[in-house]
Structure formats: structure tokens, C-alpha cells
Amino acid sequence: MGLLFDFLKGKKNTEPTLSAYAQGTVVPMEEIPDQVFSQGIMGFCCGIEPTDGKVYAPADGTISQTTDTLHAVGLAVDGMELLIHAGVDTVEMNGAGFTNAVQEGQAVKKGDLLLTMDLEQVRAAGHGTVVILAVTNSDDFAAVELMASGKVSVGDGLMNVRK
Amino acid sequence: MKQFQYVITDPVGIHARPAGLLVKAAKALDSTVTVEKVGGKSSAATKLMAVMGLGVKGGDTVTVTVEGGNEEASLQAMEQFFRENL
């Protein structure tokens, strides 16, 4: 149905579908220091090593889930089931150092603040601070590709997802 | 159709890492696998965000159902997965 709809609209998806969701340096999937992400088990993903701890929405969508541990947010965007996961093994921090800015079911716009992470506190606890964006149902799409490398600012084109 | 119940021992429950591993393990089977939080929601075991969305915590009981394909082998694989990871 999505395909037909896109066809009727003549949509070509030339604009990157997902934008940089943090200020920092892009980390390709293979280089994320966590095997469930680097091996693609969580779906196609990339990371941003952040220069500050603010994490923003990569596109317009709806918050599909928040977690008690505050370090991860689910975001539904046009058929994509996104997981935004701040830090490596930060589930172990049980919320310390994290604040959540959104609620389940809330509509968000690209660039809206989703969560904050205290980088110093996460590092002090011995965890990596890379913020990961995973397209958890990337198998449902024809192509998902990383469009950016190096330093990015919030809102820069990052990933292209085609149906 | 075959099923088993399991009490989650991981104190954090089915968070991102075990959910991802569960999806991978379930996709490798030729049966349809469903996870239900007893007293809560149920989800296909191959849908990562839905599995995480069950909100399964340590101490919760889940019912895992396998249907179609080699149900005996799938049941064993899932029982082993839960014992080793959750």
C-alpha cells in the first residue's frame, strides 16, 4: 500500500530520509563498539559520537516507546521502526545521567529534543557514549544507506531509506 | 502448536540487547514464534520494537508459542535461548 501511495504521489525520496540526531562525528555501523549493533542484529544502524549529550528526532514521527532506563527511545516514522539508543550498555546505568524529553504516543518533529545524556557521567561509569540510530525493520525496505561521514550538525542529511 | 512458560531472571528484562538476540534467534527458525507477557501484550518474536514494547521486566512470566515447521526443534531452541539470555 505504501508503494502504491508513493507511486501515485510520484515520490522519489531523493532527500535523505533521516537526519543527524546529534552534534558530533558519524560512526559507520561496522565501527559501533557493540556487536548487536555492528553486526546488524538490531537492523541497519549508524552511530554519532556526540560532542554534547542532546539527542534529537531524526525525522517527523511518533514516539512508539520510552524506557524506564531513559537511555533509549522508539520512534515510528513512515513505516520505519526506529530505535535511538544512547551509549553502549547504558541500560546498566538504570537511568542515572539520562533525562527523557518525550512520552509514548507523542508526535515529534525533526529536530525536537528526545533525551539528554550526561557524557561525563556515562564515561565515568565506563561506558561508550556513541548514540545509535537503528532502522530495526530495515529488512522491510529495498535499500538503507548511510549518506554522511565525519562531523555532522543536527539536521544534516544522514541516512537514506527506500521502499 | 507448542508452548512453554518462562520466568525472566535478567533484572532489566527484555531490553534492547536480548530483544535483538531473540529476534535473530527466532528468524532462524522455520516456525512462527510469539512471545506473550503473562497478563500483558503479545508480539511476534521477530519484531524488535514490538518485543521491546512488551515491557517485560525481571520476574515477569512470558509464554512462548511456536507454530508451524519443526515445532519440537523450535521449542527447544527457544527454551535454550531464554535460559541462556534472559
Side-chain angles (χ1 to χ4, degrees):
Chain A
M1 187 160 140
L3 275 175
L4 181 62
F5 190 52
D6 289 348
F7 175 69
L8 291 174
K9 283 196 302 187
K11 188 172 168 182
K12 287 207 173 69
N13 279 341
T14 46
E15 292 289 306
T17 331
L18 300 172
S19 335
Y21 47 91
Q23 175 97 24
T25 306
V26 173
V27 181
M29 178 166 89
E30 303 73 29
E31 293 172 23
I32 293 172
D34 182 339
Q35 289 194 346
V36 293
F37 289 104
S38 64
Q39 294 179 354
I41 292 170
M42 310 299 279
F44 185 89
C45 59
C46 74
I48 294 178
E49 186 59 56
T51 50
D52 63 39
K54 295 192 179 72
V55 180
Y56 303 89
D60 297 357
T62 305
I63 302 298
S64 59
Q65 59 188 264
T66 56
T67 60
D68 295 343
T69 45
L70 309 178
H71 71 296
V73 170
L75 180 65
V77 175
D78 196 21
M80 285 178 274
E81 295 171 16
L82 307 179
L83 173 66
I84 294 141
H85 189 285
V88 176
D89 279 329
T90 36
V91 68
E92 292 168 9
M93 298 187 71
N94 204 21
F98 292 88
T99 60
N100 182 9
V102 291
Q103 293 182 328
E104 210 169 297
Q106 183 181 335
V108 292
K109 292 283 184 195
K110 174 179 142 181
D112 283 356
L113 184 67
L114 299 180
L115 63 88
T116 64
M117 164 170 57
D118 185 326
L119 299 181
E120 292 299 317
Q121 199 171 341
V122 171
R123 285 192 196 107
H127 297 296
T129 53
V130 63
V131 183
I132 301 155
L133 169 64
V135 182
T136 65
N137 61 336
S138 55
D139 287 354
D140 296 346
F141 294 86
V144 185
E145 52 186 337
L146 183 62
M147 310 293 287
S149 62
K151 291 201 185 334
V152 286
S153 296
V154 175
D156 287 354
L158 181 69
M159 211 188 272
N160 221 347
V161 183
R162 280 187 294 116
K163 286 178 181 163
Chain B
M1 186 189 89
K2 292 182 188 296
Q3 58 184 200
F4 67 92
Q5 287 202 326
Y6 182 84
V7 179
I8 304 294
T9 59
D10 183 328
V12 196
I14 307 182
H15 57 95
R17 178 182 308 281
L21 295 172
L22 172 61
V23 167
K24 187 186 179 196
K27 278 183 177 169
L29 304 177
D30 62 356
S31 307
T32 302
V33 184
T34 310
V35 180
E36 182 183 2
K37 177 179 168 180
V38 171
K41 293 185 281 187
S42 94
S43 156
T46 50
K47 301 267 180 208
L48 179 65
M49 295 309 287
V51 169
M52 288 179 64
L54 296 176
V56 174
K57 304 289 176 210
D60 287 348
T61 303
V62 293
T63 303
V64 180
T65 305
V66 300
E67 199 159 14
N70 187 341
E71 293 181 348
E72 189 54 45
S74 297
L75 191 80
Q76 280 183 20
M78 280 293 110
E79 282 183 318
Q80 186 179 353
F81 175 85
F82 274 83
R83 275 200 310 271
E84 288 176 358
N85 295 282
L86 284 160

